[in-house]
Amino acid sequence: MTKQTIIQTMDVTKIYGMGEVQVRALDEVSVRIEENEFVAIMGPSGSGKSTLMNILGCLDRPTSGSYLLAGEDVSNLDKAQLAAIRNRQIGFVFQSYNLLPRTPAIENVMLPLLYNRHNSMTDAEQKEKALEVLASVGLTDRAQHQPQELSGGQGQRVAIARALVNDPLIILADEPTGNLDTKSSEEILGLLTELHEGGSTIVMVTHEMEIAAFAQRTIRFRDGRIEFDGANGDEALAAGSKEESRVAI
């Protein structure tokens, strides 16, 4: 069965600044991601990976080029249209969780439903859906706990549940283990792997090879351009070849 193309960018360029003070954060980047792929995006600071993530998440628009999300060109939508796309089709997982303080986990998870103008669920149905996704991340017993009463790993699980509650087309995870210890990081990566195996499409930004290894495919950026794009086995081979070249020199 042919898989749907979820993300397709064509010659996407993003320029910040004016006149002589211009920074080309992305330089004619073309990327294609199919449904049910788990892709890691890597690169040093300033490489363009965060700029790409902002465009993929409809938080920003390209200066030029096209971005198709599930076949729809979203490159030139206005802010209100982009906000609607974000709410209905994209689940965000941030490094810092971005949970509302002094608000129970279940209410944090329900937020995207409240902002979804296409949502026709009753209050009881919204609560039931939030409990359902909390159960899927193993936090049924923490539904009434506030963020300060949760561990870092539990807080990130609540954030993942919130990302899932609107049944998004794609999950965008920006350094999802950046604030976690090793054990909690492994738990979150295990959960993302389970979601991928269950059919989710995931794009994850990370600067650590060990984290990227959990994905199927790695896209590595440098100076606003794609330096490498391939399966993780190929990535290891590419890294090994570069190391061998340095040794030879």
Side-chain angles (χ1 to χ4, degrees):
M1 185 174 66
T2 303
K3 288 191 174 184
Q4 180 185 15
T5 298
I6 300 296
I7 283 172
Q8 185 173 8
T9 69
M10 293 169 285
D11 298 326
V12 160
T13 295
K14 182 65 180 180
I15 299 173
Y16 294 104
M18 299 283 289
E20 295 181 3
V21 190
Q22 286 191 351
V23 176
R24 190 173 287 263
L26 291 176
D27 189 4
E28 298 186 352
V29 170
S30 296
V31 169
R32 188 185 186 102
I33 296 173
E34 311 291 341
E35 65 178 316
N36 194 215
E37 276 200 274
F38 188 174
V39 179
I41 296 179
M42 299 190 69
S45 178
S47 63
K49 63 183 187 299
S50 294
T51 301
L52 179 67
M53 188 66 112
N54 286 340
I55 290 174
L56 297 185
C58 295
L59 295 166
D60 201 357
R61 288 174 291 192
T63 304
S64 63
S66 300
Y67 169 30
L68 274 61
L69 179 63
E72 178 184 359
D73 191 341
V74 299
S75 313
N76 298 307
L77 298 184
D78 62 30
K79 289 183 179 180
Q81 291 169 320
L82 288 175
I85 292 284
R86 287 197 302 271
N87 182 261
R88 295 199 315 272
Q89 301 194 48
I90 302 170
F92 291 94
V93 181
F94 301 99
Q95 179 176 343
S96 55
Y97 323 144
N98 287 5
L99 301 177
L100 292 180
R102 298 181 298 280
T103 303
I106 187 170
E107 293 182 20
N108 268 288
V109 172
M110 288 170 63
L111 278 176
L113 296 173
L114 299 176
Y115 287 117
N116 185 352
R117 288 183 294 178
H118 297 272
N119 172 30
S120 59
M121 293 182 183
T122 65
D123 290 346
E125 289 170 336
Q126 290 181 43
K127 184 176 181 180
E128 183 179 351
K129 181 62 182 289
L131 285 171
E132 179 185 313
V133 291
L134 278 171
S136 74
V137 300
L139 286 182
T140 303
D141 59 342
R142 295 290 189 269
Q144 297 302 326
H145 285 61
Q146 298 181 10
Q148 66 269 22
E149 299 172 313
L150 302 171
S151 68
Q154 289 170 340
Q156 192 61 293
R157 283 175 178 265
V158 172
I160 291 173
R162 180 184 59 195
L164 294 172
V165 76
N166 263 337
D167 300 315
L169 270 175
I170 186 167
I171 297 169
L172 299 182
D174 191 358
E175 300 280 5
T177 62
N179 288 342
L180 302 177
D181 59 32
T182 300
K183 183 175 183 297
S184 296
S185 294
E186 290 174 351
E187 291 175 354
I188 293 303
L189 289 166
L191 177 56
L192 290 175
T193 300
E194 288 176 16
L195 291 171
H196 168 239
E197 290 173 349
S200 294
T201 306
I202 302 173
V203 178
M204 174 178 67
V205 165
T206 181
H207 64 277
E208 299 182 49
M209 284 293 297
E210 295 86 353
I211 304 299
F214 281 81
Q216 296 173 300
R217 169 184 167 199
T218 296
I219 302 173
R220 191 170 60 226
F221 277 81
R222 184 173 297 277
D223 299 328
R225 288 179 171 270
I226 294 175
E227 181 181 55
F228 174 86
D229 181 357
N232 275 346
D234 297 336
E235 166 71 8
L237 289 172
S241 297
K242 286 192 173 187
E243 185 62 34
E244 288 171 8
S245 296
R246 284 195 291 269
V247 171
I249 291 169

